[in-house]
Amino acid sequence: MPNFVPDDGTGNEQLVVIGEAPGRNENRERRPFVGAAGHRLLDWMNPVGLKRTDAYWTNVYPYQPLANKIETVPRATLSPFIDDLHERLARLTDPIVIVPTGNTALRALTNFAYFPWEPKKRGPAKHKITVPGIFNHRGSIYSYTDLSDRVIKVIPTIHPAATFRAPKMEKRCILDWRRIAEDLRFRELRLPKRTYYVPKTMDELHGHKDLLLSKTDAGCWPLVIDAEWLPGGFTLCGASVSHLIGLLPFLRLSSIGAVKPTPTKHGKSSRSYARATSRSAYSMVIATPMCSSASTRSPFVTINGTHWRCTTC
Ligand code: URA
């Protein structure tokens, strides 16, 4: 029988870190995040001025699961522990930022993301919607109302253990922890304010495009372009010179030479790019807010009820 691993902290900390479940070292020492994952977290926290004792450490499930896999714990067994997590959070003196690490912690805290045993696509079989996981939520900031009705900021981030398998993700974790440290300095939820222009005519659109390119030509800001692909080809593209302005233009693809077909992670080839381009000379092109600054960015923008995400970060 694994050991019970209680939370670690006095309850007076302003930062709360939520993990999934203890591993071997945590089980032995009966303290959360004292093994490799904990050390990796401290590698990101220390450079932004945070020490272990600055955080209250907790887990969704307080026992080491079989083979370290939370999916071996039945949902019914987990439920009371999730309730208990919410109750423990409500007893903390004055938390400012809660950091769920990974899908399990985020799901337990907010209902966003998914538990490992839940389908990643939900909805009617015909159009199953992909449920956004931690990679889509990190970089955003949410609020959580605890059982005592206090509103607390939530900044989700990737579980440190994920970076053992995919070291490239570390870059994002470092950005997240920088933001967490910044947000600990104030209590309120400060979301970036943005202005969106939706050109209604082609003339207006070209005006925006010229403005965009003139800024870039003048060497003011880098031009950031983000192209989106879906099965079937190129769907939309964004261009921006500032993280403060999102342009939502209808743009003729061939008019921006900078958009190159890239063999992307979606596996689209230049052939399907060409096909999509020729099919839709004036396809709808959307500029998501670009992120030149980690502290002000929020990778989601909702336009007409649809979430768009900046894929540059
Ligand atoms: N991973 C977790 O999620 N929690 C721990 O306490 C240790 C590793």
Side-chain angles (χ1 to χ4, degrees), residues 49-290:
L50 295 171
K51 307 182 297 296
R52 179 167 175 107
T53 49
D54 290 327
Y56 180 86
W57 302 83
T58 184
N59 277 306
V60 175
Y61 185 63
Y63 298 98
Q64 182 185 10
L66 273 179
N68 283 331
K69 292 198 183 313
I70 192 77
E71 50 272 50
T72 61
V73 181
R75 179 72 172 89
T77 308
L78 200 62
S79 282
F81 290 104
I82 295 174
D83 294 343
D84 195 56
L85 171 70
H86 290 282
E87 280 164 26
R88 291 196 310 278
L89 292 175
R91 286 198 294 270
L92 300 179
T93 313
D94 190 22
I96 291 186
V97 177
I98 304 180
V99 180
T101 59
N103 279 316
T104 301
L106 180 61
R107 176 76 161 87
L109 184 72
T110 63
N111 265 340
F112 299 155
Y114 41 78
F115 291 123
W117 56 85
E118 287 179 328
K120 297 191 176 79
K121 288 194 174 180
R122 291 183 215 146
K126 208 168 132 206
H127 28 229
K128 280 192 171 179
I129 307 292
T130 306
V131 183
I134 190 69
F135 293 106
N136 288 325
H137 289 293
R138 68 147 288 277
S140 294
I141 180 160
Y142 302 116
S143 64
Y144 163 76
T145 305
D146 75 4
L147 296 176
S148 313
D149 266 347
R150 296 179 300 190
V151 178
I152 307 163
K153 290 186 281 191
V154 173
I155 304 185
T157 189
I158 297 162
H159 192 284
T163 67
F164 300 139
R165 298 184 291 273
K168 277 208 294 201
M169 284 176 202
E170 250 204 280
K171 207 170 64 178
R172 297 177 208 184
C173 300
I174 290 166
L175 286 174
D176 290 347
W177 279 99
R178 204 182 288 168
R179 185 179 196 183
I180 291 162
E182 280 170 20
D183 261 83
L184 272 170
R185 299 203 192 109
F186 50 92
R187 188 168 304 279
E188 72 280 8
L189 191 66
R190 287 186 204 160
L191 292 176
K193 288 199 174 53
R194 296 200 171 92
T195 313
Y196 298 101
Y197 299 101
V198 185
K200 295 191 179 54
T201 63
M202 286 313 289
D203 282 350
E204 227 183 295
L205 164 69
H206 282 292
H208 281 299
K209 188 199 75 183
D210 292 343
L211 174 73
L212 198 79
L213 295 177
S214 71
K215 297 270 188 212
T216 313
D217 287 344
C220 297
W221 301 299
L223 173 66
V224 184
I225 299 206
D226 182 23
E228 295 292 339
W229 299 78
L230 284 177
F234 181 85
T235 50
L236 50 91
C237 165
S240 182
V241 288
S242 157
H243 59 280
L244 298 176
I245 304 175
L247 290 178
L248 314 180
F250 288 80
L251 207 62
R252 192 184 157 102
L253 296 181
S254 55
S255 70
I256 41 170
V259 177
K260 290 273 193 312
T262 42
T264 63
K265 54 184 183 291
H266 305 292
K268 293 293 152 237
S269 65
S270 49
R271 201 152 53 87
S272 65
Y273 169 82
R275 209 174 45 225
T277 312
S278 63
R279 219 192 283 139
S280 51
Y282 286 96
S283 34
M284 181 161 189
V285 175
I286 296 192
T288 55
M290 293 301 163

